[in-house]
Amino acid sequence: MKQVLVVGGGAAGMMAAAVAAEYGARAFLLEKQSRVGMKLSITGKGRCNLTSAEEERQRFIAGYARNGQFLFTALNAFSNLDLIRFFQEHGLDCKVERGQRVFPQSDRASDVVRVLYKNLEQLGVDVNKSQGVKALLFQDGKAIGVQTQKGKVLADAVIIATGGMSYPRTGSTGDGYRWAATAGHHIIEPRPGLVPLVVEESWVRELQGLSLRNVRAIAWSSKGKKINEDFGEMLFTHFGVSGPIILSMSRDIGEELLRQEKVRLVLDLKPALNEETLDQRLQRDLALYSRRQFRNSLDDLLPRKLIPLMVRLSGIDPQKESNQVSRQERKNLLQLLKEFELTVLATRPIDEAIVTAGGVDVKEVDPRTMQSRLVKALFFAGEILDIDGYTGGFNLQAAFSTGYLAGKNAALLYG
């Protein structure tokens, strides 16, 4: 029986080990942490956005910021629909929420880990926890195993599924990059993928914890070039901004920040209303509360936490009666609502990122098998590869699909 060794007990590693066993190999899984699936158990705020329900393949691939086409064969081998079916067949129903996001019906990421681990047990995978790997072992241009803290572990094929560098406390500390480099692979510099943004304006601290829905955000370079745009939900923090649309835009913003010091982030707080309609709405609200002070007339328009700041930034006397607000003052408020500007200085550190951008150069990996083009019997799966998606389940799907393909082909390598 062929022996397949998988290093890394995350989504990609658990899938790879299970599939290798299904295809007749004796599978070993090495995880340096005390339990498997640590990062998976906290993803999606503990709810685990498994994948996207998008069925059209090219639109699904468009969910990746970099190298989405590399995943074409992997997604054909194990698609998002296959993943949903896998969990349902193992007793974990799924549901589709806003933006085509797929979650377990239970809303518990721990249930996802439980299903994957139980599947490993049922398939007879030898799971070794608290088993750190120190180096890859090679012989005659072929991967033959690993050196662990306890000794050598030999195998017919090795799959590296150690993740990136985000959330290092879960075990993703970049080990796999070093091993890939020793095999001759080029590593695209790791950097934050989905990550919150740091802004210049100190007043964001006043808005800490405020979540806004149905907001349009556009990022602009200093030369007036549109960097990225998104619509949906965002969150203010003590250092800046976060939330789904900010995370999705953060990769492109981060790349632009490498070329310049600052990026303009412009929020449309009322994207459903054009300027004329919004002006009519403002006039109605100011007339409705005509005897109130201006600072008390915006309750129907804005979240309470945002009102004091908007009043201050508008330059309108907060004690002025609403019926005394001039046309020009109303115009200034209108512009503030449609072009609420922030200055982005930086991304948060990579260890706070949800995913890592960069990694093993996919030009050196066969997309049909996930095997290294440089070293025989060496495979890669998951976040260690230079693939990163936007929010919405794309990153986990890439992990599961590449894990599936690596596990299958590692098992069939000498068949």
Side-chain angles (χ1 to χ4, degrees), residues 3 5 28 30 128 131-139 144-155 158:
Q3 299 194 61
L5 178 61
F28 296 82
L30 303 184
N128 297 267
Q131 184 77 292
V133 171
K134 299 173 70 175
L136 278 175
L137 300 176
F138 307 98
Q139 184 176 307
I144 61 168
V146 298
Q147 177 72 46
T148 74
Q149 297 161 336
K150 300 178 180 178
K152 294 180 180 179
V153 181
L154 302 181
V158 179

Side-chain angles (χ1 to χ4, degrees), residues 40-41 86 98 100 114 120 164 168 219 249 256 263 306 327 343 362 381 383:
L40 192 57
S41 67
F86 166 84
R98 181 177 53 86
Q100 301 271 62
R114 176 182 52 78
L120 293 174
M249 297 171 68
E256 187 64 31
V263 166
L306 184 57
R327 182 173 180 272
T343 308
V362 296
E383 197 177 342

Side-chain angles (χ1 to χ4, degrees), residues 294 298 309-317 329 332-333 336:
F294 172 63
L298 301 177
L309 176 66
M310 294 297 286
V311 169
R312 192 165 76 245
L313 294 178
S314 73
I316 302 172
D317 182 352
E329 287 175 328
N332 293 344
L333 177 60
L336 191 57

Side-chain angles (χ1 to χ4, degrees), residues 14-195:
M14 285 193 280
M15 181 59 73
V19 173
E22 282 186 315
Y23 276 86
R26 184 180 179 192
F28 296 82
L29 178 64
L30 303 184
E31 167 56 50
K32 70 177 181 180
Q33 300 293 89
S34 60
R35 56 190 175 94
V36 296
M38 285 188 69
K39 185 176 178 182
L40 192 57
S41 67
I42 62 173
T43 188
K45 297 180 180 178
R47 295 180 62 222
C48 195
N49 181 189
L50 286 166
T51 187
S52 167
E54 173 60 62
E55 294 188 27
E56 204 282 315
R57 185 55 42 79
Q58 284 301 331
R59 283 202 295 268
F60 196 100
I61 286 175
Y64 296 91
R66 186 175 176 87
N67 295 325
Q69 289 295 333
F70 175 84
L71 293 171
F72 199 88
T73 301
L75 290 169
N76 277 340
F78 191 72
S79 70
N80 53 333
L81 301 183
D82 293 327
L83 181 66
I84 293 168
R85 192 176 305 114
F86 166 84
F87 282 108
Q88 289 175 333
E89 289 174 352
H90 287 78
L92 185 63
D93 289 334
C94 299
K95 60 182 177 180
V96 180
E97 296 188 359
R98 181 177 53 86
Q100 301 271 62
R101 289 168 164 81
V102 178
F103 291 87
Q105 189 73 46
S106 67
D107 281 331
R108 291 195 299 265
S110 58
D111 288 342
V112 175
V113 177
R114 176 182 52 78
V115 166
L116 292 169
Y117 188 66
K118 186 176 180 181
N119 188 46
L120 293 174
E121 290 183 317
Q122 291 174 337
L123 290 166
V125 174
D126 188 349
V127 179
N128 297 267
K129 290 168 269 191
S130 300
Q131 184 77 292
V133 171
K134 299 173 70 175
L136 278 175
L137 300 176
F138 307 98
Q139 184 176 307
D140 300 326
K142 174 179 176 292
I144 61 168
V146 298
Q147 177 72 46
T148 74
Q149 297 161 336
K150 300 178 180 178
K152 294 180 180 179
V153 181
L154 302 181
D156 297 297
V158 179
I159 301 173
I160 305 299
T162 49
M165 295 179 68
S166 55
Y167 291 117
R169 67 183 183 277
T170 66
S172 299
T173 52
D175 300 337
Y177 300 142
R178 292 189 290 274
W179 304 332
T182 64
H185 280 276
H186 174 226
I187 307 301
I188 307 298
E189 183 179 0
R191 57 198 181 282
L194 306 177
V195 68

Side-chain angles (χ1 to χ4, degrees), residues 64 66-68 70-71 355-360 362 370 382-389 395 398 402:
Y64 296 91
R66 186 175 176 87
N67 295 325
F70 175 84
L71 293 171
V355 299
T356 305
V360 175
V362 296
M370 295 299 135
E383 197 177 342
I384 189 174
L385 293 162
D386 180 27
I387 301 166
D388 58 291
N395 290 291
T402 56

Side-chain angles (χ1 to χ4, degrees), residues 391-415:
T391 57
F394 297 100
N395 290 291
L396 269 182
Q397 182 63 53
F400 286 122
S401 293
T402 56
Y404 181 95
L405 203 55
K408 174 183 176 181
N409 287 286
L412 299 177
L413 184 59
Y414 301 106

